[in-house]
Amino acid sequence: MAGSLNKSSEVFVLSLFFYTRSLARQGLCSSRTQFSVFYRHAVPMGTSAQEEMNKFWAKNTRLNRPMSPHISIYRWSIPMAMSITHRGTGVALSGGISVFAVAALVLPGSFPHYLDLIHSLSFGPALITLSKFALSFPVAYHTFNGIRHLVWDAGKGLKIPEVYGSGYTVIALTLLTSLALTAL
Amino acid sequence: MAALVRIGSVCRGPAVPSLLFRSAPLIRPLAARKKDQDYPYFCTAKIHATPSNYAAAGSKAASLHWTGERIVSIALLGLGPVAYFYPGPVMDYSLAAVLTLHGHWGLGQVVTDYVHGDAKIKLANTGLFLLSAVTFAGLCYFNYHDVGICKAVALLWSK
């Protein structure tokens, strides 16, 4: 038997041996068994996740570590692009509402007054249509993708083909809805 | 660990290269046997125990915040069509409130994702709070002194 043992079977025998030892050891330490993973000793951490995250970032800043390339090298996918677009439209819409609110507080005239002012500038129909589309598109996209997010939050549609399928549906609905709103 | 040595002694034939016993997986368990006594962390995952193992149980604040975000999102979804069919001051103020809250919480997530460091986080969140407060104030002012959100959208689209 001695001469015929090769490396892989030896490793197997050893890992089996180790495994049974850890099982036996778990039987002795009854307080550890609740973790139900095959580690010899599982010890609860004394720090919170927030503290650990801060330590991680503080260390990176202190050592002046450069960030690994990520978005500059990773291949873009439809779900990835849709996700950042969802964030982008959200930030843009929120910003737009805030600008509108500040303008309402700061500017002296009323809304119809300023509307008439813009109207008197006689922008071409193309520009008006373009502006309407530019407003409708983010609203429609963020709304439909938002519904998609809520479906995910309910735990549905998380398989990759479903993610792509729902993604294409959102894009199609967005285009149709923004065109419809522009035409209104 | 005695079994390890035994296998080793059994395998001391010419067919088995002696390099086997210098490879790391074989050496390390042997070395750790003594260390085990001092540091019970070998082969340990740093597992975060559930809050019940801590003296202070975890709070549900984050979980409730998440649920609140989803409820506000669904509310905003519902408000859209209702505002179209029943414009008026009730809709105006409801839209102002729900829009601002949804935007505030959404931008809050963006801050959490990209801003790091205790001081910077605090600064960003304070700035965000001010922005949202001013936004809500501005929208309410608009609703009160001007035509209101629903009418404004209708007017804008009629041009």
Side-chain angles (χ1 to χ4, degrees):
Chain A
M1 183 185 120
S4 63
L5 270 176
N6 58 25
K7 179 166 186 186
S8 54
S9 59
E10 177 154 339
V11 172
F12 170 75
V13 166
L14 278 169
S15 44
L16 197 62
F17 161 81
F18 213 62
Y19 173 96
T20 39
R21 270 194 77 91
S22 66
L23 275 183
R25 183 105 358 172
Q26 282 211 320
L28 287 171
C29 313
S30 55
S31 63
R32 308 275 189 239
T33 51
Q34 64 175 303
F35 293 107
S36 67
V37 287
F38 296 116
Y39 295 103
R40 311 242 0 239
H41 299 275
V43 181
M45 285 293 288
T47 52
S48 72
Q50 176 81 44
E51 289 164 17
E52 284 180 47
M53 284 194 289
N54 286 343
K55 273 162 61 180
F56 171 79
W57 286 107
K59 185 172 182 181
N60 285 342
T61 320
R62 185 169 36 92
L63 294 173
N64 240 331
R65 282 177 172 169
M67 188 164 276
S68 303
H70 46 299
I71 52 178
S72 50
I73 53 159
Y74 202 81
R75 187 199 177 101
W76 280 95
S77 62
I78 299 270
M80 200 167 144
M82 289 188 72
S83 178
I84 192 62
T85 311
H86 187 77
R87 179 160 273 190
T89 50
V91 172
L93 287 169
S94 206
I97 291 174
S98 292
V99 165
F100 177 80
V102 169
L105 285 170
V106 164
L107 295 175
S110 71
F111 185 73
H113 170 252
Y114 289 108
L115 255 189
D116 290 331
L117 198 69
I118 297 171
H119 200 57
S120 67
L121 291 172
S122 334
F123 289 127
L127 195 61
I128 295 179
T129 313
L130 201 65
S131 323
K132 282 188 179 177
F133 186 79
L135 272 174
S136 325
F137 187 86
V139 173
Y141 180 86
H142 194 83
T143 307
F144 289 121
N145 204 226
I147 298 173
R148 186 164 164 245
H149 264 284
L150 289 170
V151 170
W152 288 335
D153 290 336
K156 306 215 177 310
L158 289 163
K159 294 201 182 72
I160 293 295
E162 291 171 331
V163 168
Y164 275 85
S166 60
Y168 293 134
T169 310
V170 162
I171 294 175
L173 281 171
T174 303
L175 285 170
L176 287 171
T177 310
S178 16
L179 287 171
L181 284 173
T182 312
L184 257 182
Chain B
M1 285 301 161
L4 199 121
V5 177
R6 205 172 297 135
I7 290 174
S9 60
V10 157
C11 289
R12 219 168 278 284
V16 179
S18 58
L19 232 84
L20 265 175
F21 309 107
R22 301 216 174 60
S23 63
L26 296 179
I27 301 280
R28 210 184 288 138
L30 208 59
R33 187 70 187 93
K34 268 172 65 184
K35 269 176 71 178
D36 245 350
Q37 259 63 306
D38 317 339
Y39 307 104
Y41 299 118
F42 174 72
C43 236
T44 303
K46 295 217 166 112
I47 295 171
H48 288 276
T50 56
S52 59
N53 287 5
Y54 282 83
S59 93
K60 281 178 75 180
S63 165
L64 289 171
H65 181 252
W66 186 91
T67 310
E69 284 177 330
R70 315 299 124 163
I71 292 176
V72 165
S73 303
I74 294 171
L76 189 55
L77 269 177
L79 275 182
V82 178
Y84 180 79
F85 290 110
Y86 302 100
V90 172
M91 286 316 302
D92 285 339
Y93 287 100
S94 312
L95 267 175
V98 178
L99 264 175
T100 328
L101 189 55
H102 183 73
H104 178 73
W105 279 345
L107 288 173
Q109 293 293 348
V110 177
V111 166
T112 309
D113 278 350
Y114 301 137
V115 179
H116 305 289
D118 285 326
K120 282 192 250 181
I121 291 175
K122 204 166 214 170
L123 190 69
N125 280 325
T126 310
L128 174 63
F129 197 86
L130 284 170
L131 180 70
S132 299
V134 168
T135 305
F136 185 62
L139 286 177
C140 288
Y141 179 88
F142 186 79
N143 284 336
Y144 190 81
H145 292 282
D146 215 318
V147 290
I149 297 177
C150 300
K151 192 85 178 100
V153 175
L155 279 175
L156 186 68
W157 233 251
S158 65
K159 299 290 181 194

